[in-house]
Amino acid sequence: MIRTTEPRINATAKDVRKIQCDALVVGVAQDTSGPVLVGSPFHGKAAQALNDSLTVLGITGATDEVRRLPGLPELNAEVLVLTGLGKMEQGVPLSAETLRRAAGSAVRQLGGISSVALALPAETPAAAAAVAEGAALGAYSYNEHRSASASGKRPEHVDTVTVLSPVAGEKSVTAAVKRAQIIGRAVNATRTLVNQPPSHLYPETFADAAAVLAKDLPVKVTVLDEKKLESEGFGGLVGVGKGSARPPRMVKVEYSPARAKIKLAFVGKGITFDSGGLSLKPANGMVTMKCDMAGAAVVLNALLAIAELGLPVKVTAWLCLAENMPSGHAQRPSDVMTVYGGKTVEILNTDAEGRLVMADGLAAASEEAPDALIDVATLTGAQMVALGSRVSAVMGDDGVRDAVKAAADRAGELFWPMPLPEELRSSLDSPVADLANMGEKFGGMLTAAIFLREFVGEVNGEKIPWAHLDIAGPAFNEGAAYGYTPKEGTGVAVRTLVAYAEDVVARAH
């Protein structure tokens, strides 16, 4: 069921004229004097002629601009492709994210071409790594449910990518290209899970997919079915899931390398479809709700990438899986449920269900006393009101929150730290239970995070360091594709969690 597009990526220091490919990609930036080739493999008259022709051809070098030209006689490429790098400041090197997006945009828009060579400015191992990662992310397509006649005969993605770099022979570049492919595989698997229709992906099949994706990796997968969940007191999952004919699951995935000194826990929201329950969403509000399991897909694939990279850190991922549907068995407003660990919650709105399944996951993860606990969820529409559809929010303890933000910056993902005002806690008070699942309307993203914080446990009287990532808007791209980001599932936050784990290991050593 979970098939991902995965190009073969390699790096070479060969002369561009010796590279056999269908398309050769060269970068164009916006200089103060106009468009200009950057890191061009051409020399002499050919380079001058091409530079002089850019304006006449209407090429600006803007971000996401990809133009195809006939291949030059001196090349072994049928097509010359110019990809925009955006604005360039004199003397300032291009950022890793600029290179990722330029490479990703070119590879994405060249779907159907078999082999592509990327002659972007990659003079350092870090730059070569960024180009390779952008290519891995851009070479994604999803056509699993199209008939053969509708999908056409040509592949919709690039098969082979060659990164041209003068430092390609260095061991660090070889390792970087391997990492890029692992990251690309993890992000694209996340996208594919998110893109699965709810007719095909529901708690049971999601659990099956997790086992398939984890095959051949040094991880352990444990699945708790509805009977086990009920007997062990996972009231959030049981309560949210009982309105559906497809019962809930908790999937625990463990990576425990022998030399690990640090324990991390990831908790992901996995609502495979969110109708709102008895607090029914309007029809238009349900259209994208197959994406409400993105948090679970993220933590699963981030852990698998960490395992494949062989990082010396123990990581446990908790996938909180349920389908939120209305029926005669569904939970009602005014019901009271007992979450794992014993706290009671009054249900004021059955469409605020994600925090209920996450409460189970956070409480269970806390029992294992991790050194840091991070949860990921498409939790609130308020996130989009506050930060839009491309910037995710991170909240929590200052230390973990700031470390996540630093990891996101390094990974090239847009996260913004948000506060947790203490005055909002009282709005979650309930007259009949320990707390209610709804609070202050304004600042709803912050109130939801404060709710989750109630279920983060303590170790030796100290709260476990914790951060909450709300990816509600950025997890699902309803607009046009851009850069290395396709339509629909984006895989956002996978790279941030992997970078965070790498940073934790680096600090420990």
Side-chain angles (χ1 to χ4, degrees):
M1 179 180 69
I2 304 302
R3 298 193 296 269
T4 62
T5 53
E6 187 177 340
R8 295 182 297 277
I9 302 177
N10 60 81
T12 183
K14 286 182 181 179
D15 187 299
V16 67
R17 290 168 294 186
K18 297 180 180 180
I19 302 297
Q20 191 76 40
C21 60
D22 295 322
L24 174 68
V25 178
V26 178
V28 180
Q30 295 176 315
D31 196 7
T32 52
S33 58
V36 59
L37 293 172
V38 179
S40 170
F42 306 114
H43 305 284
K45 291 182 179 179
Q48 189 61 49
L50 188 55
N51 246 324
D52 293 344
S53 301
L54 295 177
T55 301
V56 175
L57 292 170
I59 295 168
T60 67
T63 302
D64 249 10
E65 180 182 72
V66 174
R67 298 289 187 87
R68 303 187 193 196
L69 301 175
L72 298 178
E74 63 190 78
L75 302 175
N76 287 317
E78 295 180 10
V79 180
L80 174 64
V81 180
L82 303 181
T83 185
L85 295 164
K87 293 182 179 179
M88 181 179 70
E89 295 183 37
Q90 198 68 33
V92 178
L94 295 169
S95 70
E97 182 62 7
T98 295
L99 293 173
R100 276 191 208 98
R101 292 187 181 185
S105 184
V107 171
R108 174 177 59 79
Q109 296 187 58
L110 291 173
I113 290 181
S114 180
S115 60
V116 172
L118 298 172
L120 297 173
E123 290 81 12
T124 66
V131 172
E133 188 173 308
L137 297 172
Y140 176 80
S141 64
Y142 180 77
N143 56 12
E144 186 175 325
H145 300 288
R146 294 182 191 163
S147 64
S149 59
S151 61
K153 297 189 181 298
R154 290 196 313 166
E156 296 185 6
H157 59 274
V158 172
D159 290 324
T160 303
V161 174
T162 301
V163 177
L164 302 182
S165 170
V167 295
E170 296 184 13
K171 288 184 179 180
S172 60
V173 174
T174 302
V177 170
K178 181 180 178 181
R179 179 186 183 278
Q181 291 207 270
I182 292 171
I183 294 296
R185 186 181 307 126
V187 171
N188 291 339
T190 302
R191 292 168 171 174
T192 296
L193 282 167
V194 172
N195 290 337
Q196 288 286 322
S199 54
H200 291 63
L201 190 79
Y202 43 92
E204 182 180 2
T205 57
F206 196 148
D208 293 341
V212 170
L213 288 169
K215 189 179 180 182
D216 300 326
L217 288 173
V219 300
K220 178 183 177 184
V221 179
T222 305
V223 180
L224 279 65
D225 65 13
E226 68 275 24
K227 293 180 181 178
K228 196 75 170 174
L229 291 172
E230 186 163 10
S231 66
E232 295 193 10
F234 287 87
L237 279 161
V238 171
V240 172
K242 67 183 181 179
S244 173
R246 293 162 165 166
R249 295 286 187 273
M250 173 70 87
V251 180
K252 181 182 180 183
V253 187
E254 300 169 86
Y255 167 58
S256 305
R259 63 191 188 281
K261 298 178 181 178
I262 299 170
K263 295 189 296 182
L264 301 179
F266 298 156
V267 178
K269 175 185 172 183
I271 303 298
T272 57
F273 184 75
D274 183 17
S275 70
L278 291 181
S279 303
L280 196 67
K281 294 178 183 288
N284 287 341
M286 290 189 217
V287 172
T288 63
M289 283 299 101
K290 68 179 183 179
C291 81
D292 214 16
M293 37 57 65
V298 165
V299 300
L300 166 66
N301 285 293
L303 180 146
L304 297 181
I306 290 167
E308 192 169 358
L309 289 167
L311 297 182
V313 57
K314 179 176 180 179
V315 185
T316 304
W318 302 78
L319 283 57
C320 309
L321 310 178
E323 186 177 60
N324 188 25
M325 297 289 284
S327 75
H329 299 287
Q331 64 179 356
R332 298 154 292 236
S334 295
D335 279 358
V336 173
M337 64 163 56
T338 302
V339 173
Y340 186 85
K343 285 189 178 180
T344 58
V345 180
E346 181 186 13
I347 309 304
L348 299 183
N349 187 326
T350 64
D351 195 22
E353 84 300 327
R355 62 199 69 184
L356 302 175
V357 302
M358 295 291 281
D360 277 346
L362 289 166
S366 295
E367 284 188 343
E368 298 190 351
D371 295 300
L373 173 54
I374 297 175
D375 74 74
V376 186
T378 50
L379 201 63
T380 66
Q383 178 276 323
M384 291 178 275
V385 174
L387 295 174
S389 60
R390 294 194 185 183
V391 181
S392 301
V394 55
M395 294 151 273
D397 303 326
D398 291 353
V400 186
R401 182 197 64 198
D402 293 347
V404 168
K405 175 64 168 67
D409 290 346
R410 182 166 72 83
E413 295 191 314
L414 299 174
F415 276 81
W416 196 251
M418 299 294 285
L420 294 178
E422 288 302 327
E423 65 270 17
L424 293 177
R425 172 58 185 86
S426 61
S427 70
L428 291 167
D429 288 343
S430 165
V432 297
D434 294 330
L435 71 167
N437 78 325
M438 291 289 288
E440 174 65 43
K441 172 185 176 182
F442 299 107
M445 171 177 63
L446 315 180
T447 305
I450 290 170
F451 177 93
L452 294 181
R453 187 179 62 184
E454 292 289 310
F455 301 92
V456 177
E458 296 182 352
V459 176
N460 298 324
E462 296 288 334
K463 204 81 165 173
I464 295 169
W466 160 78
H468 161 59
L469 280 56
D470 194 335
I471 60 170
F476 198 81
N477 177 25
E478 295 185 61
Y482 60 93
Y484 49 69
T485 302
K487 287 181 65 65
E488 299 210 327
T490 66
V492 69
V494 171
R495 291 184 290 147
T496 292
L497 290 186
V498 174
Y500 173 82
E502 290 172 329
D503 292 346
V504 165
V505 170
R507 286 194 295 270
H509 291 76

